[in-house]
């Protein structure tokens, strides 16, 4: 009788559970039994592992073989257990020493020829292994750079099972020639890392020039709203006729955000690794993601879910970045209202029959909408034919509870001819520099707290620990008494006022900062928003 064990990781979203892979050989009729709540793709590993072991030059044991995945109560799926199963079997057969694999964490899929193929979710799997105390992991060679992002973990990237057997048995490691893909054809070894058609983006592609704010003519108020949104991570809505520049403005919002911190980069990379949207050749995402799903997106596509084990949705792909919903009233009302919980908590919990998944979803929401279904309402020269009931139904999809969580609401007017031929506006780099300084002021103020931006601070803390001078909120309080603001809306006005003060370099918001925040919140012009873009 032979017995060996090693370890792998079962992922649920970006959370991992260490799984002990045990192999037991007993005399009897040759059979391969896999137990421990595997799904269909994991059950098929019996055939993959057998072929890979034989084609790697090792003998397959002709005995009764039982492979157990413990804890058995945790659902397990995917092909990332292949490498651990193969090594456990070889350890039980004494082809390799069982003690050599007992403390190793192994993640990878096996091809029938013994090659080790990459799988999704390497980074969160290695993070889970490190949290459990493992310090040595074996991963496919193509994902070794991603695994090496986790500090304190020694990573061994292997190209084939034959190479891994040689390393574990202290034998000469054979050279594995890798055949390059044909001209114009994708690399088949990278097929396991990407999901066809998966959403998510990062603005400009590598080598392309990112969109610049200098290309946007006019729109001083909308540009100011972009700057405030980026500085305090406040949600915003652009309302205007078609062609006014709403989409152009929103596409330039990610460029105003500061680079991701190391911790934020790991969080974003983990989500995109699980979702299969990690850019090729980029193991670490260091800039804010930008996700703009089509208005026909379903609830699972936006929030997360799907059949079996839930998958990350657009709200998680936009974590620490921007989620832009163009033509937002065209989205389903149920889908839009589902954004309310992640907007408040910064994460989303999706429960399905295949399991419960908790994913980070701290995103900056940007909405764009036309004033009516035809888009011509309020335009000169071409009147709107939409009946009032149709307009009310169209805009009613942006429900009151959702809009109460949107801090900035700006009317985007059509650009005048003089603005198209006028001098160029400020560039993204100039505005981003002010945003960065404002973020630094806020971060210094909140040192020692769990918050970094103004939008994260609870209203009670702003009213008590960082109170404003008496009378500063008088105009906002009058709006609340008139029913123009809710209690949540008053707190959000105060947060925006702090962001405006940070942009201007004020130690605390004054009445003018609050008036500007009120104008950006209510859309009622009070002459408070600078028309030149600067504070």
């Amino acid at each position: 009788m032979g017995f060996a064990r090693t370890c792998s990781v079962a992922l649920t979203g970006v959370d991992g559970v260490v799984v002990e892979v045990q192999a037991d050989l007993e005399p009897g009729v040759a059979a391969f039994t896999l137990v421990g709540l595997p799904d269909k793709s994991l059950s098929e590993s019996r055939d993959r592992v057998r072929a890979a072991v034989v084609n790697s030059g090792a003998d397959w044991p002709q005995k009764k073989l039982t492979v157990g995945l413990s804890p058995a109560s945790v659902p397990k799926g995917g092909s990332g257990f292949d490498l651990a199963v193969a090594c456990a079997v070889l350890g039980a057969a004494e082809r390799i020493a069982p003690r050599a694999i007992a403390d190793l964490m192994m993640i990878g899929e096996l091809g029938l020829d013994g090659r080790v193929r990459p799988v999704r979710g390497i980074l969160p799997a290695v993070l889970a292994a490190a949290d459990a105390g493992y310090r040595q992991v074996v991963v496919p060679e193509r994902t070794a750079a991603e695994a090496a992002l986790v500090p304190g973990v020694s990573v061994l990237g292997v190209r084939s099972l034959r190479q891994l057997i040689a390393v574990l048995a202290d034998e000469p490691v054979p050279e594995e020639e890798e055949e390059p893909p044909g001209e114009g054809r994708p690399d088949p070894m990278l097929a396991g890392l990407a999901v066809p058609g998966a959403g998510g983006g990062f603005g400009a592609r590598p080598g392309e020039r990112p969109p610049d704010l200098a290309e946007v003519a006019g729109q001083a108020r909308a540009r100011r709203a972009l700057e405030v949104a980026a500085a305090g991570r406040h949600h915003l809505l652009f309302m205007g006729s078609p062609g006014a520049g709403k989409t152009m403005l929103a596409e330039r919002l990610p460029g105003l955000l500061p680079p991701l911190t190391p911790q934020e980069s790991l969080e974003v990379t983990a989500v995109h690794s699980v979702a299969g949207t990690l850019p090729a050749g980029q193991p670490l995402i260091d800039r804010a993601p930008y996700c703009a799903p089509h208005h026909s997106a379903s609830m699972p596509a936006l929030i997360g879910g799907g059949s079996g084990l839930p998958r990350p949705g657009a709200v998680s792909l936009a974590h620490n970045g921007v989620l832009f919903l163009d033509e937002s009233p065209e989205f389903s009302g149920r889908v839009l209202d589902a954004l309310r919980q992640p907007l408040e908590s910064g994460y989303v919990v999706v429960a399905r029959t295949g399991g419960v998944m908790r994913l980070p979803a701290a995103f900056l929401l940007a909405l764009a909408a036309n004033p009516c279904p035809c888009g011509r309402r309020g335009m000169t020269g071409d009147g709107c034919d939409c009946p009032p009931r149709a307009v009310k139904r169209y805009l009613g999809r942006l429900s009151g509870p959702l809009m109460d969580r949107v801090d900035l609401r700006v009317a985007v007017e059509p650009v005048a001819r003089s603005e198209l031929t006028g001098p160029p506006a400020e560039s993204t780099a100039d505005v981003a520099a002010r945003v960065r300084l404002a973020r630094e002021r806020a971060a210094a103020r909140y040192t020692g707290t769990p918050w970094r931006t103004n939008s994260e601070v609870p209203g009670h803390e702003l009213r008590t620990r960082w109170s404003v001078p008496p009378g500063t909120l008088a105009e906002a309080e009058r709006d609340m008494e008139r029913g123009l603001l809710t209690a949540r809306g008053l707190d959000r006005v105060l947060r925006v006022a702090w962001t405006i003060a940070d942009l201007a370099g004020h130690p605390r918001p004054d009445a003018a900062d609050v008036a500007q925040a009120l104008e950006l919140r209510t859309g009622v012009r009070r002459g408070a928003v600078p028309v030149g873009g600067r504070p």
Side-chain angles (χ1 to χ4, degrees), residues 171-184:
E171 299 171 355
V173 179
E175 291 291 335
E176 294 285 357
E177 295 294 334
E178 190 168 0
E179 297 182 5
E183 185 176 353

Side-chain angles (χ1 to χ4, degrees), residues 185-487:
R185 296 174 56 188
D187 190 344
M189 289 295 288
L190 298 179
L193 298 180
V195 176
F202 302 90
R205 296 179 179 179
E208 293 183 358
R209 184 175 63 87
D212 199 309
L213 262 179
E215 302 164 351
V216 180
Q219 306 299 358
R221 292 179 183 273
R223 293 170 61 94
R224 176 61 172 169
L226 275 185
E227 182 176 344
V228 173
R233 217 176 75 178
H234 303 289
H235 311 303
L236 78 161
L237 165 69
F238 288 138
M239 179 80 73
S241 56
K246 305 185 295 294
T247 304
M248 282 188 68
L249 288 161
E251 289 175 344
R252 285 149 180 79
L253 179 55
L256 301 181
L257 300 178
L260 299 179
T261 64
Q263 179 61 33
E264 291 172 341
S265 293
L266 287 178
E267 293 175 0
V268 173
T269 303
V271 172
H272 285 263
S273 178
V274 170
T277 57
L278 199 61
Q282 186 177 347
L284 182 67
I285 299 173
D286 57 1
R287 54 196 174 110
Y290 173 77
C291 192
H294 191 261
H295 60 74
S296 62
S298 62
M299 183 81 74
L302 192 65
I303 303 301
S307 59
L309 197 64
R311 295 184 56 81
V315 296
S316 297
L317 297 177
H319 178 60
N320 288 328
V322 177
L323 176 65
F324 175 49
L325 303 185
D326 202 1
E327 306 292 346
S328 54
E330 298 292 348
F331 282 80
S332 164
R334 288 181 61 251
V335 171
L336 290 174
D337 282 336
L339 296 173
R340 288 152 55 180
Q341 185 253 338
L343 284 177
E344 287 291 333
S345 63
Y347 62 88
V348 62
V349 177
V350 182
R352 295 292 186 270
T353 57
V356 178
M357 177 179 65
R358 185 183 188 272
L359 284 169
F363 54 89
L364 195 166
L365 177 64
L367 303 170
N370 294 328
C372 66
C374 74
R376 298 194 299 270
R377 189 179 183 85
M379 293 181 64
T380 58
D382 196 357
C384 170
D385 299 327
C386 300
R389 181 174 297 180
V391 177
K392 183 177 180 180
R393 184 170 57 250
Y394 175 75
L395 296 179
R397 293 183 182 176
L398 301 175
S399 66
L402 174 63
M403 292 306 300
D404 204 31
R405 292 166 169 81
V406 178
D407 302 333
L408 314 173
R409 309 169 191 178
V410 180
V412 182
E413 305 291 344
V415 179
R417 184 178 64 179
S418 60
E419 293 175 321
L420 288 173
T421 57
E426 282 187 295
S427 67
T428 293
D430 294 334
V431 179
R434 291 200 299 272
V435 168
R436 186 175 62 255
L437 289 176
R439 288 271 188 121
E440 291 173 355
R441 293 187 183 107
R445 182 167 59 250
Y446 303 133
T447 300
T449 72
W451 315 301
R452 296 181 61 250
T453 59
N454 293 315
S455 63
E456 304 172 54
V457 186
H460 173 74
E461 297 290 339
L462 285 180
R463 292 192 300 270
T464 55
R465 294 179 62 179
W466 296 283
S467 59
V468 296
T472 302
L473 293 175
E475 189 172 359
E477 291 168 350
R478 286 195 296 269
D479 279 5
M480 184 177 176
E481 293 175 355
R482 292 195 294 263
L484 298 177
L485 282 178
T486 63

Side-chain angles (χ1 to χ4, degrees), residues 515-531:
Q516 188 178 155
L518 271 174
E519 179 174 331
L520 291 172
R521 168 81 183 185
T522 63
V524 178
R525 297 210 170 179
R526 308 166 192 242
V529 177
V531 296

Side-chain angles (χ1 to χ4, degrees), residues 105-168:
M105 179 67 62
M106 300 188 183
I107 308 161
E109 176 186 334
L110 287 176
L112 300 184
D113 57 355
R115 289 186 301 171
V116 181
R117 303 178 64 91
V119 294
R120 297 190 298 273
I122 288 291
L123 177 59
V126 177
L127 284 169
D131 290 340
Y134 287 85
R135 292 295 174 260
Q136 291 182 308
V137 296
V138 180
V139 298
E141 185 182 55
R142 294 296 185 89
T143 56
E146 182 181 345
L149 296 173
V150 181
V153 175
S154 174
V155 178
L156 172 62
V158 294
R159 188 172 294 180
S160 69
L161 179 60
R162 185 183 296 107
Q163 285 186 336
L164 181 56
I165 293 173
V167 171
L168 296 175

